[in-house]
């Protein structure tokens, strides 16, 4: 008998349900988006890879900051979470200059109020990682906001704490991943408050959907980097002359298989756990 659940939200590729007053169920689907469009073809096990990776990072960062994870379900794609009061901004950390950070830098020389050295190139590593929060847009792209605005929204003390924790999380995970051949160019977290006002990490963490993963052995500043996970999909889409507006194209079997293999490879490299072992018992990600 399935439990009664109320759907409380959805992202492009994940769903959130209410379990009771204190707990939510976060379910990661196998859907994939590219150029901000969800494609009609799924990548088998993608949701399990992302859920397992996120659980792995939650287990390893709990000393830095508590997180919302209560339990991993046997399906490997669903997590029971503590219900939080989410902060009204996205916590973004950038270690490399790409995406909207690169765009803002080229236009203004700064990103979210961080004035950067002159002459940085596309995808270049920053002298230090920077905290670059953004607003949560209902639809469309999140908008970068400067630190003054973010401090107004959160209050200075909470802002300082959120920035410090975000940078600590990024430094920890990016160093760990780099040793395993994956550069985490940037990443996005969602933080919330528990009923005692303690800051808690929610959502997913350090997955390829919430971060840009780049293959370290192909890294070269001065050009756009290949994506560790989505490059086959992007390359295939580019061959079609698709205008990148919905609906997106179906993916052929070889692109699906190659992409699934990249997700599994990211999981295995970062966690050191065989993906089959994760499927047999998801709790190995927490050990
Ligand atoms: C929550 N979102 C953001 C997942 C992400 N632990 C929590 N408590 C209360 N609210 C949320 C969480 C979490 N995580 C986070 N929305 C609500 C966007 N969602 C979209 C659906 O997938």
């Amino acid at each position: 008998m399935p439990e009664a659940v109320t759907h409380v939200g959805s992202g492009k590729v994940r769903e959130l349900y209410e379990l009771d007053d204190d707990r939510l169920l976060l379910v990661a689907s196998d859907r994939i988006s590219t150029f901000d469009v969800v494609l009609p073809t799924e990548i088998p096990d993608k949701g399990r890879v992302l859920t397992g990776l996120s659980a792995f990072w939650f287990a390893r960062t709990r000393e830095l900051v508590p997180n919302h994870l209560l339990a991993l379900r046997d399906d490997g794609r669903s997590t029971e979470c503590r219900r939080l009061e989410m902060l009204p901004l996205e916590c973004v950390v950038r270690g490399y200059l790409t995406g909207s950070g690169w765009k803002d830098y080229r236009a203004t020389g700064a990103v979210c109020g961080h004035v950067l050295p002159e002459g940085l190139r596309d995808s270049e590593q920053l002298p230090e990682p920077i905290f670059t929060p953004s607003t949560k847009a209902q639809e469309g792209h999140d908008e970068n906001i400067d630190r003054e605005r973010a401090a107004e929204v959160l209050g200075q003390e909470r802002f300082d704490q959120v920035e410090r924790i975000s940078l600590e999380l990024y430094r920890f995970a990016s160093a760990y991943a780099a040793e395993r051949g994956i550069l985490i160019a940037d990443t996005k977290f969602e933080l919330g408050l528990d009923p005692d006002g303690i800051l808690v990490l929610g959502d997913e963490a350090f997955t390829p959907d919430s971060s840009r993963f780049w293959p370290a052995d192909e890294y070269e500043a001065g050009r756009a980097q290949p994506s560790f996970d989505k490059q086959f999909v992007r390359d295939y889409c580019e061959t079609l002359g698709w205008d990148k507006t919905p609906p997106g194209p179906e993916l052929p079997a070889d692109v699906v298989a190659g992409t699934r293999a990249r997700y599994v490879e990211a999981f295995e490299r970062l966690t050191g756990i065989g993906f089959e072992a994760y499927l047999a018992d998801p709790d190995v990600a927490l050990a």
Side-chain angles (χ1 to χ4, degrees):
M1 181 70 177
E3 55 217 314
V5 286
T6 312
H7 192 220
V8 292
S10 57
K12 281 202 295 254
V13 301
R14 291 172 307 144
E15 310 290 340
L16 206 47
Y17 303 91
E18 179 173 290
L19 290 173
D20 54 42
D21 287 352
D22 308 322
R23 296 180 311 141
L24 300 175
L25 188 71
L26 183 53
V27 183
S29 75
D30 291 338
R31 295 193 292 276
I32 186 169
S33 68
T34 189
F35 306 115
D36 272 330
V37 176
V38 177
L39 302 181
T41 311
E42 297 192 330
I43 305 299
D45 293 321
K46 172 176 176 280
R48 292 187 175 91
V49 164
L50 269 58
T51 297
L53 259 182
S54 204
F56 171 83
W57 290 117
F58 281 146
R60 278 150 192 82
T61 58
R62 48 183 295 190
E63 256 88 277
L64 292 177
V65 58
N67 60 69
H68 72 164
L69 177 64
L70 292 170
L72 261 176
R73 291 209 169 165
D74 285 341
D75 65 7
R77 69 167 75 250
S78 311
T79 50
E80 297 171 11
C81 303
R82 280 200 280 164
R83 187 171 215 159
L84 307 170
E85 191 72 54
M86 301 310 290
L87 301 183
L89 50 77
E90 309 272 3
C91 299
V92 178
V93 179
R94 301 170 188 276
Y96 294 77
L97 201 49
T98 184
S100 68
W102 170 237
K103 219 172 113 195
D104 292 351
Y105 171 73
R106 264 187 317 180
T108 70
V111 184
C112 294
H114 299 273
V115 178
L116 298 172
E118 280 179 51
L120 294 176
R121 294 166 294 163
D122 189 2
S123 306
E124 190 153 348
Q125 186 169 25
L126 294 168
E128 295 289 336
I130 54 174
F131 179 62
T132 62
S134 61
T135 59
K136 291 185 187 179
Q138 279 309 325
E139 50 190 78
H141 273 120
D142 295 345
E143 216 173 287
N144 288 344
I145 54 176
D146 62 30
R147 32 202 300 109
E148 280 69 48
R149 179 75 198 116
E152 275 170 33
V153 171
L154 294 183
Q156 189 65 49
E157 210 171 316
R158 189 67 86 179
F159 173 86
D160 291 343
Q161 184 190 21
V162 164
E163 177 178 56
R164 179 175 53 76
I165 286 172
S166 296
L167 289 169
E168 281 176 11
L169 285 168
Y170 176 80
R171 284 184 192 285
F172 172 80
S174 60
Y176 191 98
E179 285 177 21
R180 288 154 183 86
I182 293 176
L183 302 182
I184 301 179
D186 53 26
T187 194
K188 179 168 85 180
F189 318 110
E190 296 216 23
L191 291 159
L193 301 178
D194 76 4
D196 297 326
I198 303 290
L199 203 59
V200 178
L201 180 59
D203 202 48
E204 60 181 349
F206 300 113
T207 68
D209 277 10
S210 67
S211 319
R212 284 188 178 87
F213 283 11
W214 293 342
D217 59 357
E218 292 173 60
Y219 174 71
E220 188 189 2
R223 58 159 170 85
Q225 305 304 301
S227 162
F228 192 91
D229 43 295
K230 287 184 180 167
Q231 201 57 42
F232 297 143
V233 173
R234 292 196 189 147
D235 290 349
Y236 172 72
C237 288
E238 295 291 1
T239 68
L240 300 175
W242 169 47
D243 67 2
K244 298 170 189 171
T245 65
E250 305 255 11
L251 301 175
D254 62 320
V255 174
V256 171
T259 302
R260 181 187 179 280
R262 295 312 297 271
Y263 279 105
V264 170
E265 184 184 346
F267 176 91
E268 293 188 333
R269 274 215 221 176
L270 290 173
T271 67
I273 300 166
F275 188 58
E276 290 301 324
Y278 175 74
L279 295 181
D281 176 13
D283 282 345
V284 295
L286 305 174

